Amino acid sequence: MVDGDFNLIFMNNRFYELLDVKKEDLSPGTPLKKLYQINAERGEYGPGDVRKQVSERMDHAKQIKIDQFVRVRPNGTAIEVSSNQTEGGEFVTTYTDFTDQIRAENDARNARARLVDLISVMDEAFVYFDSSDRLLLCNDMYREYYPKSADLFEPGITFEEIIREGVKRGDYTIPDDAEEEAWI
């Protein structure tokens, strides 16, 4: 918690652990500027002029009403920083370790990219719909099977939309003894 004069007034033990700062360096009453100084000097904000980095962060702090962002520390720890100004002019900031969540999201993105790459080189047509019958992905071989409708095969389109438009475009042949709507 930071008071209206931008002095630190309360920090819990997790704050010190997560930001890797010593209690004696940032005790209650210490100007917020000192935290920014420590972080800038050890490269937390990337390369650049330390005084400028501290000044920019102090200017930003003076504008805070509500703020939220994720910052990745040089050690790889991803921290979500959320700040809210109180009615008395102070602001409360929470720091949450998001490292595992960020890694899991990156792993999922990488796994999906590998899956899409593998599907794209399959010799067979492949299409995948979710439980709401919305297309999630398909490969080029599938598009080749239905060339008149291939432009429709984008994530989110429903199976029914594909079939209805495919019938109009002539990608599907409805048997002579079938009623069109019933076939669809």
Side-chain angles (χ1 to χ4, degrees), residues 11-96:
M11 297 78 61
N12 64 12
N13 289 333
R14 186 66 175 135
F15 167 85
Y16 293 107
E17 287 173 26
L18 203 52
L19 297 183
D20 192 26
V21 291
K22 297 176 185 158
K23 288 182 180 182
E24 56 269 15
D25 290 338
L26 293 175
S27 59
T30 302
L32 176 63
K33 185 176 184 176
K34 174 99 184 233
L35 171 61
Y36 294 149
Q37 181 81 31
I38 290 168
N39 283 343
E41 287 174 351
R42 63 184 181 185
E44 295 281 337
Y45 308 132
D49 179 74
V50 169
R51 281 182 283 153
K52 183 178 179 187
Q53 290 176 336
V54 171
S55 177
E56 288 171 351
R57 274 152 186 81
M58 284 303 298
D59 289 345
H60 179 75
K62 292 173 184 174
Q63 305 301 316
I64 289 177
K65 300 289 183 229
I66 296 176
D67 193 22
Q68 184 175 20
F69 60 91
V70 174
R71 178 171 66 85
V72 179
R73 296 191 58 223
N75 69 3
T77 303
I79 300 173
E80 179 189 58
V81 182
S82 298
S83 299
N84 290 293
Q85 188 177 43
T86 67
E87 289 182 20
E90 300 93 5
F91 64 91
V92 176
T93 301
T94 59
Y95 297 84
T96 306

Side-chain angles (χ1 to χ4, degrees), residues 103-115:
R103 283 188 184 136
E105 289 170 359
N106 287 338
D107 289 348
R109 260 191 305 280
N110 290 338
R112 185 181 194 289
R114 284 192 305 274
L115 177 63

